[in-house]
Amino acid sequence: TGKDDTHLLIVVTSDRGLCGGFNGSITRDVRSRITTLEAAGKTVKLIVVGKKGVAALRRDLADRIVAAHEELSKPSPNFDGAATVSQTVADMFNAGEFDVCTVIYSRFVSALTQIVTPLQLIPFTAPVDEASEGNEATGDGAVYDFEPDEEEILTALLPRNLSVQVFRAMLESFASEQGARMTAMDSATRNAGDMINRLTIQYNRTRQAAITTELIEIISGAEAL
């Protein structure tokens, strides 16, 4: 549209819990981003993917949520689910309901590290190839033949690209969720083991103290006789 008055944020979270602060970090980033945009006079709308994100954001941002998609990633993300989200975005764009669309997801780095990442989908920005950047000969003066014509190709490719980018965000988020869950469960197992050890020591000390008290009572009784 050439404007940036209305921002649509696609928030990708998980459908299941027990993954530590995975969902909390995403929702905190979204709230911070909304505060910044609205302070600049922008209008913000939300499409939330994932049951946990819907539950967390609906408490205080329900008026900004225009669509909520739950359990699209069960048992794992699939392209049909991503196409459902992208179709909602396309319909809203065709109706002129937003100017800029950004998907916010957790990018997988390792099982210990996941980074909340924004990716602008509309207006589309092509990635910069650093290897060819600065090479003026690359692509200059080249002539391309299109069959069918450019408009028909873009009409098919751009919606497909939107679905692919949403699918990418869902896959990254799913991988990050599993990494966060593995880390959280490992930490919970270690904490449970430490607690068992502390309680075992406490039990043994209490038991030993009780036995010592009984022995003292028996010895005292024998000496009294």
Side-chain angles (χ1 to χ4, degrees):
T1 62
K3 300 183 295 182
D4 67 341
D5 297 332
T6 303
H7 287 250
L8 176 65
L9 303 181
I10 305 174
V11 185
V12 182
T13 60
S14 70
D15 288 304
R16 296 181 296 171
L18 298 178
C19 48
F22 171 77
N23 293 302
S25 61
I26 297 175
T27 54
R28 280 194 303 272
D29 182 88
V30 170
R31 288 189 173 93
S32 174
R33 193 175 298 273
I34 291 175
T35 301
T36 302
L37 289 172
E38 291 184 342
K42 312 297 182 183
T43 301
V44 179
K45 299 180 180 180
L46 297 176
I47 293 178
V48 186
V49 179
K51 186 181 296 184
K52 295 300 178 181
V54 172
L57 296 175
R58 185 171 281 169
R59 287 195 293 267
D60 54 344
L61 299 172
D63 58 328
R64 296 170 181 81
I65 298 177
V66 296
H69 300 276
E70 299 182 6
E71 299 188 359
L72 289 182
S73 297
K74 283 189 174 182
S76 62
N78 56 79
F79 191 79
D80 290 339
T84 300
V85 178
S86 64
Q87 186 61 50
T88 302
V89 175
D91 292 341
M92 292 180 63
F93 180 75
N94 291 331
E97 297 182 15
F98 68 88
D99 303 313
V100 179
C101 176
T102 304
V103 60
I104 300 173
Y105 64 99
S106 186
R107 180 168 58 86
F108 180 82
V109 178
S110 68
L112 297 175
T113 306
Q114 301 87 35
I115 301 175
V116 178
T117 304
L119 175 64
Q120 182 173 304
L121 302 181
I122 300 174
F124 172 71
T125 54
V128 178
D129 186 358
E130 296 180 357
S132 62
E133 187 178 7
N135 186 359
E136 298 180 356
T138 302
D140 286 353
V143 177
Y144 296 94
D145 291 328
F146 294 92
E147 185 179 345
D149 58 29
E150 298 95 321
E151 184 176 352
E152 187 172 349
I153 291 176
L154 289 177
T155 300
L157 285 184
L158 289 180
R160 173 71 61 166
N161 176 70
L162 184 62
S163 299
V164 168
Q165 295 302 327
V166 172
F167 187 41
R168 167 194 172 186
M170 292 174 63
L171 289 173
E172 288 272 4
S173 180
F174 189 74
S176 298
E177 175 193 346
Q178 303 308 320
R181 179 172 291 111
M182 185 176 69
T183 302
M185 293 300 98
D186 181 68
S187 177
T189 301
R190 292 176 184 273
N191 291 337
D194 293 341
M195 180 176 292
I196 290 173
N197 292 334
R198 289 195 300 270
L199 292 176
T200 300
I201 293 173
Q202 182 179 350
Y203 167 77
N204 290 335
R205 287 177 177 174
T206 303
R207 178 171 174 272
Q208 185 177 0
I211 293 174
T212 302
T213 300
E214 292 177 0
L215 288 175
I216 292 175
E217 291 176 353
I218 293 174
I219 293 172
S220 298
E223 291 179 351
L225 295 176

